[in-house]
Amino acid sequence: MNEKQVKDKILEVLEHHKVGTLATVQQNKPHSRYMTFHNEDLHLYTATDKDTHKAEEIEQNPYVHVLLGYDGKGFEDPYIEVEGKAVINDSKELKEKLWNEYMKHWFKGPEDPDYIVLDIQPTQIRLMNVEGEDPQTIQL
């Protein structure tokens, strides 16, 4: 696959798979949890509460790892591994843009001061498990 085909396949995975794992670093050890991700091109966003371990961990060490895509069907089930750097973003515009009704389970609305966004800029994305292809990596 050429770089455009790899990027297109990565974007396909991102468009069809919104729930994945986010790993941060806690006391020099990985700490993973399931999150819901939104993307703009290859840039990832996930909502959280400002008073969570993940927010605290990102403030101490911004490097994260994300897994998205695996359906559980087995071989030939594409998924991606994302390495990146996260920052906490509480801009009104981004919070409103990402807001959806499902978030009412955790927040009062897009103006809720506890609602923040983890803004993840990938540094590398690896496309895995594509039939007939070796893993493919793009550097960003």
Side-chain angles (χ1 to χ4, degrees):
M1 271 196 261
N2 65 38
E3 190 169 328
K4 182 183 180 329
Q5 290 170 317
V6 172
K7 182 179 178 185
D8 288 347
K9 188 66 174 178
I10 289 169
L11 288 169
E12 183 181 318
V13 171
L14 287 169
E15 289 305 314
H16 292 96
H17 301 276
K18 299 301 182 186
V19 177
T21 63
L22 169 70
T24 55
V25 178
Q26 178 184 48
Q27 298 176 351
N28 290 326
K29 296 178 183 175
H31 184 195
S32 298
R33 76 280 284 153
Y34 285 104
M35 301 291 292
T36 301
F37 294 90
H38 305 273
N39 72 293
E40 287 182 3
D41 196 35
L42 299 177
H43 202 109
L44 300 176
Y45 302 96
T46 186
T48 192
D49 191 294
K50 70 176 185 174
D51 294 319
T52 59
H53 290 295
K54 66 185 100 46
E56 181 181 308
E57 291 160 7
I58 286 169
E59 286 179 343
Q60 293 174 11
N61 183 337
Y63 296 99
V64 297
H65 189 267
V66 175
L67 290 173
L68 280 164
Y70 186 72
D71 285 327
K73 295 174 188 166
F75 190 67
E76 301 170 6
D77 206 0
Y79 65 94
I80 59 172
E81 298 177 352
V82 180
E83 292 180 17
K85 189 172 184 180
V87 295
I88 294 171
N89 188 328
D90 67 349
S91 78
K92 179 181 178 183
E93 296 78 22
L94 183 59
K95 288 169 50 171
E96 286 178 359
K97 182 177 184 177
L98 297 179
W99 180 259
N100 62 64
E101 293 303 307
Y102 186 71
M103 292 176 168
K104 285 185 175 182
H105 293 281
W106 298 279
F107 306 107
K108 295 175 186 140
E111 68 289 335
D112 188 326
D114 291 332
Y115 165 39
I116 61 171
V117 176
L118 302 181
D119 182 336
I120 303 167
Q121 178 62 55
T123 55
Q124 169 179 292
I125 302 176
R126 179 172 287 186
L127 175 63
M128 304 291 292
N129 223 18
V130 176
E131 181 180 2
E133 297 286 338
D134 290 332
Q136 303 286 320
T137 302
I138 59 173
Q139 303 290 331
L140 303 162

